[in-house]
Amino acid sequence: MDFQVVVLAGGASKELSPLVSKEVPKALLPVANRPVLSYVLDLLESSNLKDLIIVVEGNDAALRVGGWISSAYHDRLRVQVAQVPEDVGTAGALRLVANRLTASDILVVSGDLISDVPPGAVAAIHRRHDAVVTSLLCTAPISGPSETGSSGGKDKTKKQGRYNIIGLDPTRQFLLLAAAGTDVEKDIRVQKSILRAVGQMEIRADLMDAHLYAFKRNVLQEVLDKKDTFQSIRQDVLPYLVKSQLRSEISANGAPLSKDGLNENMASQNSQAWLSQQRIGAPSCFHEAYASVPNGSTAEPGRIHKCCAYIASKDKYCARLNSIQAYCDINRDVIGEASHLSGYSFSAQNNIILPSAQLGSKTTVGPQCMLDEGSHLGDKCSVKRSVIGRHCRIGSNVKIVNSIVMNHVTIEDGCLVQGSIICSNVYLQERVVLKDCQVGAGFVVTSGSEYKAESLSKKEKSPSH
C-alpha cells in the first residue's frame, strides 16, 4: 500500500505515574499481561503494514522498547526505533523523524491505542479522496468505575479536554471542524467559507479522535517545517489543516504564500466567486466537486485541500490508554466485552487460568479474570474481574476485586485489594486493605495498613552531583 508507518510510543508518561517508570516505560505497560504497544503492532501487522518507525521518548525507554521488539517481533516486522527527547509533543516527535519519511503517504498512530479498527480501511479512504489528512474517529468510550468497585484512585484527569467537537459534511466523509482540548472550553469559530461551501454541517461531540491519522507526506512536512511552534497533532496540526481547507494556506503546487498565509495568485482573486464555483450545488462541495474530477485530483491545484474522516462502526472497539482510569477500563474490557483482543482463548467459565498457575483449596476465580503463568493462590481466596500477572505469590483468605496485579507481586494472608493497581515486585504484608489505590513498583505496604484512593510509590532518588 506504500504507506510508511510512524508509531508514537511515548516515554515515561506523567499521567500514568506511578505505573510507569524508567524500568517500565508507557509502551511496555501491561494490558491483560501484554505490553500495550503489542496491540498496535499486531493491528498493523494484520493490515500488512510492516515497515515501521517507532518513536520513543527518552534514551532508556528507547533501549527497553527496542529490546522488547527485537525479541517479540523478530522476523515479523521491519522496525526502526527512533529516540527523541522527552516532552517534545506528538508534532515535535514527528518533526524530529521527518528526514526518515520517504513514502508519499504516512500513517501515524499512537502507541497507546487499543482497537480492532483496521488501519488499512483508514488508508483506503485517504487514498480514495486524495486527502491531505484522514483521521480515525470512534464512538467515545464511556469510562468510569463499575458498580462493584472503581479503579481510578486519585485520577484527577476528568473528561475535560478528552473529548472533541467535530464538524462533518452531510456525507460524513469530510472533516470540516476539529476542536480539541482547551479549545472546547472557549467559543468555537467556524470558517464562513466552509459553511458557504457545504451548506450545512453536522456537529458531533460523541466522537473520539483515536490518534490514528493518514497524512500526505509533503503536506505534513511542510506544516511541521513552517509551523515550528506546533507541538501536538490533535491540537495544532489537525485543526490547522481543517481550518485552512478553503484558504489554501498549504502551497501544494509550490506557489508562494502571502503574508496572511494565502496563496498569492488566489488571494488576488474574488474568493466569493471562487467559492461559488466550488459549491457545484452543495450540500457538499468536497464530495461533488471531486466526484467529477478524474482520479480524485484537484481541478485547480494548490487552491484547495481535503481533510477526511473515517468513522468506525459502533461495534468496533477503540480506546486510548492515556490516564489511570483508562488503564483500568481497558484492562477490564480486554478480559470482558473485548476479549477477542486479548489473544487468549477463554475457558467455559469465561476466564483465563494458565496451566502453570496453582489454586488452593476453596479458592475461586470468577469470570472475566486472568491468572498468568507460575502464580500461586492460597486457600479460600476470591478473585473477581481482575488480572493477575506472572509468578505472583498470594496467601490465604485474600480477596482481589476489579484490580490489576502485575508480575512478581507478593500478597500475604488476609489482604483485601479492591479497585486498585499493584505494580510489579510489590509486597503487601498481612491484612492490608487497599481500595482504589495505585502502588508503584517495589513498594512495601506494612501489615494492617489501610489505604483508600492513594498513590503509593518509592521516592525517586535525586541524582548526585
Side-chain angles (χ1 to χ4, degrees):
M1 194 173 270
D2 297 326
F3 270 82
Q4 202 169 3
V5 182
V6 179
V7 179
L8 301 176
S13 171
K14 295 180 178 66
E15 296 89 355
L16 292 165
S17 176
L19 311 188
V20 296
S21 62
K22 289 182 179 179
E23 290 73 28
V24 184
K26 179 179 178 180
L28 302 184
L29 199 60
V31 170
N33 295 330
R34 285 173 51 196
V36 61
L37 184 59
S38 69
Y39 291 84
V40 164
L41 299 187
D42 288 357
L43 184 67
L44 293 167
E45 186 182 30
S46 69
S47 283
N48 202 33
L49 294 162
K50 298 181 180 181
D51 286 299
L52 315 178
I53 299 171
I54 298 181
V55 185
V56 185
E57 295 181 13
N59 186 58
D60 288 348
L63 289 172
R64 290 181 183 277
V65 171
W68 169 74
I69 291 171
S70 297
S71 172
Y73 288 88
H74 181 65
D75 291 337
R76 289 172 56 187
L77 301 174
R78 294 176 291 278
V79 175
Q80 302 176 55
V81 176
Q83 180 253 319
V84 299
E86 294 182 9
D87 302 321
V88 293
T90 51
L94 276 180
R95 193 178 287 114
L96 290 169
V97 299
N99 62 338
R100 303 191 189 200
L101 306 180
T102 55
S104 59
D105 293 289
I106 308 297
L107 195 71
V108 179
V109 57
S110 178
D112 64 6
L113 178 66
I114 310 282
S115 180
D116 53 7
V117 179
V122 179
I125 290 290
H126 181 74
R127 284 277 173 83
R128 183 188 307 164
H129 292 297
D130 191 35
V132 298
V133 63
T134 302
S135 176
L136 170 60
L137 302 175
C138 303
T139 302
I142 302 171
S143 67
S146 62
E147 293 177 4
T148 49
S150 67
S151 301
K154 286 190 171 179
D155 183 16
K156 299 298 184 186
T157 338
K158 301 298 182 186
K159 292 183 182 164
Q160 175 181 338
R162 292 294 183 195
Y163 53 85
N164 309 290
I165 300 296
I166 298 293
L168 301 167
D169 80 306
T171 70
R172 296 181 179 173
Q173 296 176 81
F174 297 98
L175 194 55
L176 310 179
L177 172 68
T182 54
D183 289 342
V184 176
E185 303 301 311
K186 307 171 186 174
D187 291 337
I188 297 173
R189 298 185 178 187
V190 180
Q191 297 293 124
K192 286 183 179 179
S193 56
I194 291 177
L195 281 178
R196 289 193 195 104
V198 299
Q200 60 182 335
M201 182 189 301
E202 179 182 357
I203 303 293
R204 300 280 294 271
D206 62 336
L207 296 173
M208 178 187 86
D209 182 332
H211 276 228
L212 191 155
Y213 312 97
F215 285 103
K216 192 165 287 194
R217 177 184 56 82
N218 61 340
V219 171
L220 174 63
Q221 289 182 323
E222 181 183 350
V223 171
L224 294 174
D225 184 42
K226 291 182 182 299
K227 301 291 182 179
D228 57 4
T229 59
F230 281 5
Q231 290 188 306
S232 166
I233 297 173
R234 184 171 71 102
Q235 297 189 32
D236 296 322
V237 175
L238 184 64
Y240 171 75
L241 287 172
V242 170
K243 286 176 185 176
S244 61
Q245 282 180 98
L246 296 182
R247 294 210 308 257
S248 299
E249 293 183 12
I250 307 300
S251 55
N253 64 344
L257 299 181
S258 63
K259 290 180 181 178
D260 62 358
L262 292 175
N263 186 297
E264 284 184 350
N265 62 4
M266 179 201 163
S268 63
Q269 295 182 13
N270 181 322
S271 58
Q272 182 64 48
W274 175 80
L275 279 166
S276 66
Q277 292 171 8
Q278 297 303 308
R279 289 184 68 178
I280 315 182
S284 175
C285 83
F286 300 101
H287 183 67
E288 300 289 344
Y290 290 97
S292 59
V293 179
N295 301 321
S297 59
T298 60
E300 298 177 84
R303 301 286 178 82
I304 188 171
H305 64 258
K306 290 172 288 182
C307 301
C308 290
Y310 179 89
I311 302 176
S313 59
K314 289 186 177 180
D315 63 339
K316 292 294 186 181
Y317 186 83
C318 191
R320 288 192 57 227
L321 200 166
N322 52 15
S323 69
I324 288 176
Q325 184 64 59
Y327 180 70
C328 299
D329 294 340
I330 291 168
N331 270 278
R332 181 194 64 219
D333 293 343
V334 172
I335 57 170
E337 63 185 46
S339 60
H340 62 286
L341 291 171
S342 70
Y344 290 93
S345 297
F346 281 67
S347 71
Q349 290 74 39
N350 195 25
N351 60 25
I352 302 165
I353 301 175
L354 292 198
S356 59
Q358 296 182 17
L359 306 183
S361 172
K362 298 183 179 178
T363 285
T364 59
V365 177
Q368 299 184 17
C369 285
M370 177 179 285
L371 181 60
D372 214 329
E373 62 183 29
S375 287
H376 289 214
L377 275 71
D379 298 339
K380 298 181 181 178
C381 292
S382 172
V383 181
K384 297 179 180 178
R385 295 175 301 279
S386 295
V387 176
I388 297 176
R390 291 182 290 279
H391 303 291
C392 294
R393 295 290 179 269
I394 297 171
S396 299
N397 296 297
V398 173
K399 290 186 178 181
I400 301 174
V401 183
N402 286 333
S403 294
I404 299 146
V405 179
M406 298 187 194
N407 301 330
H408 301 282
V409 171
T410 300
I411 302 177
E412 298 287 7
D413 297 352
C415 291
L416 169 63
V417 179
Q418 180 174 314
S420 296
I421 304 167
I422 314 297
C423 293
S424 295
N425 299 301
V426 164
Y427 180 29
L428 305 187
Q429 297 180 352
E430 299 89 347
R431 303 181 311 283
V432 166
V433 176
L434 299 177
K435 294 184 179 180
D436 305 331
C437 292
Q438 301 93 48
V439 185
F443 194 82
V444 177
V445 184
T446 55
S447 298
S449 301
E450 295 191 15
Y451 292 98
K452 184 174 183 180
E454 293 286 346
S455 178
L456 309 172
S457 63
K458 288 181 174 181
K459 295 289 184 287
E460 289 283 337
K461 291 183 180 178
S462 301
S464 55
H465 297 285

